[in-house]
């Protein structure tokens, strides 16, 4: 009898040790690709997960209490790599939760999000190795838990999750990538720039996956995707939208021209309110 996809995804999600989570995530996708996992809804329904498995470190603090360091100092340089690694570690859990939580979707949905989970694990591994080369490891600096909070807020509906995690949080990563690359270029960290290039390439694909399934769910429900997205942005995610947008990357990820115009206008409006 085939293993149950949801049970296995939950096991990955709750794994607390870093190396165990990475290994289980890679094995999960490999078993799915070999056709060894059933996604029949014959088990218990998804449970609420206030906190997924994570190591004791890093310590989590409010974003307002994060220490600000210059990237030109050794500690600041390593702290920035650590912050990006923490985002990628959280992204593994977000992708796994998209598999575990939302049932009754096409097989291609689960294939897509298992791919995302494995690629996020790869990104984390690259960043962790680079962090080690700088004399540190994951957990050496404080971090915040904002990404998982969005998972909790969107746990009730896959349409809301697709709208606000890949299409807002991950797309925000696309927007931030050029400025981050320039920071690392300014201190001669060629390896960090190379890693960011890999992440940008893959994250365009992840946002495209979010666009695909957001569009699918909007069509299934007969709702207008742009109007619905705008409403959800204002309700949940507008604070995450900041100019400038990386329109080229967003376009490659499947955002329409109409959406880009709407997002640029909303980003400018929200940016003006924060100024």
């Amino acid at each position: 009898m085939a293993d149950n996809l949801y049970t296995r995804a939950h096991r990955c999600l709750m794994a607390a040790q870093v190396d165990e989570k990475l290994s289980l995530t890679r094995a999960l996708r490999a078993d799915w690709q070999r056709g060894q996992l059933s996604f029949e809804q014959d088990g218990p329904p998804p449970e609420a997960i206030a906190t997924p498995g994570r190591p004791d470190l890093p310590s989590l603090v409010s974003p307002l209490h994060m220490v600000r360091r210059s990237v030109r100092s050794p500690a600041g340089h390593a702290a920035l790599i650590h912050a990006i690694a923490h985002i990628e570690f959280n992204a593994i859990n977000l992708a796994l939760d998209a598999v575990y939580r939302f049932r009754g979707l096409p097989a291609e949905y689960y294939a897509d999000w298992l791919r995302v989970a494995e690629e996020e694990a790869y990104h984390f591994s690259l960043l962790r190795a680079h962090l080690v080369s700088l004399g540190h490891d994951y957990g050496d600096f404080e971090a915040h838990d904002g990404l998982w909070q969005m998972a909790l807020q969107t746990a009730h509906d896959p349409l809301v999750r697709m709208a606000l995690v890949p299409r807002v949080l991950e797309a925000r990563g696309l927007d931030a990538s050029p400025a981050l690359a320039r920071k690392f270029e300014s201190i001669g960290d060629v390896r960090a720039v190379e890693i960011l290039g890999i992440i940008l390439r893959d994250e365009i694909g992840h946002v495209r996956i979010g666009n695909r399934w957001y569009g699918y769910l909007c069509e299934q429900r007969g709702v207008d995707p742009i109007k619905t997205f705008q409403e959800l942005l204002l309700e949940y995610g507008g604070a995450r939208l900041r100019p400038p947008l990386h329109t080229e990357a967003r376009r490659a990820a499947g955002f329409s021209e109409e959406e880009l115009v709407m997002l640029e206008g909303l980003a400018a409006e929200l940016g003006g309110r924060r100024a």
Side-chain angles (χ1 to χ4, degrees):
M1 179 181 293
D3 279 354
N4 183 273
L5 170 65
Y6 308 118
T7 301
R8 288 277 301 277
H10 184 264
R11 183 183 171 198
C12 293
L13 192 56
M14 301 311 294
Q17 298 305 312
V18 171
D19 290 336
E20 181 188 18
K21 189 182 292 286
L22 299 179
S23 175
L24 288 175
T25 298
R26 288 190 291 264
L28 176 62
R29 188 185 182 210
D31 285 349
W32 171 268
Q33 290 177 314
R34 287 192 287 262
Q36 296 178 353
L37 298 174
S38 164
F39 62 110
E40 297 297 323
Q41 299 181 66
D42 53 3
E47 61 186 57
I49 299 175
T51 306
R54 57 176 299 273
D56 293 336
L57 296 174
S59 299
L60 299 181
V61 300
S62 164
L64 298 176
H65 297 149
M66 294 287 291
V67 176
R68 295 185 179 275
R69 298 178 172 93
S70 169
V71 73
R72 295 189 178 279
S73 71
H77 180 189
L80 184 54
I81 297 290
H82 186 277
I84 303 168
H86 183 66
I87 290 170
E88 297 301 317
F89 186 80
N90 275 272
I92 302 169
N93 285 331
L94 285 164
L96 290 169
D97 192 69
V99 172
Y100 167 71
R101 184 155 311 285
F102 302 120
R103 314 288 169 91
L105 290 160
E108 292 84 356
Y109 169 88
Y110 302 105
D112 277 348
W113 286 105
L114 289 170
R115 169 193 156 190
V116 172
E118 185 179 43
E119 289 180 352
E120 303 292 16
Y122 172 57
H123 299 163
F124 173 83
S125 298
L126 292 175
L127 289 160
R128 187 185 187 190
H130 190 44
L131 190 60
V132 168
S133 78
L134 299 175
H136 291 276
D137 200 354
Y138 182 59
D140 285 0
F141 299 91
E142 292 178 333
H144 67 80
D145 199 28
L147 290 174
W148 189 254
Q149 294 308 307
M150 183 63 85
L152 295 177
Q153 292 177 50
T154 60
H156 63 290
D157 188 338
L159 187 152
V160 178
R161 174 69 63 85
M162 294 299 107
L164 298 180
V165 173
R167 285 167 53 86
V168 174
L169 297 188
E170 290 205 66
R172 173 64 191 151
L174 304 184
D175 299 337
S177 183
L180 281 173
R182 286 193 295 271
K183 282 189 176 184
F184 289 121
E185 286 170 351
S186 75
I187 58 171
D189 188 344
V190 175
R191 180 56 180 157
V193 175
E194 290 174 348
I195 293 170
L196 285 178
I198 293 168
I199 292 173
L200 177 61
R201 176 200 68 198
D202 292 345
E203 296 294 345
I204 287 172
H206 301 175
V207 177
R208 188 184 300 118
I209 285 169
N211 278 324
R212 174 188 183 186
W213 294 106
Y214 174 71
Y216 170 87
L217 290 162
C218 285
E219 184 177 352
Q220 291 282 305
R221 299 183 192 185
V223 299
D224 179 81
I226 296 179
K227 180 174 181 291
T228 301
F229 186 43
Q230 188 168 20
E231 290 170 352
L232 290 171
L233 272 173
L234 293 171
E235 182 177 355
Y236 291 92
R240 307 270 184 165
L241 195 62
R242 293 177 176 86
L245 303 185
H246 192 338
T247 53
E248 181 183 351
R250 282 178 176 262
R251 193 175 287 116
F255 281 93
S256 69
E257 295 304 315
E258 187 177 355
E259 283 179 308
L260 289 172
V261 169
M262 180 271 288
L263 287 169
E264 287 182 323
L266 187 57
E269 179 185 345
L270 291 168
R273 290 179 191 173
R274 283 189 288 267

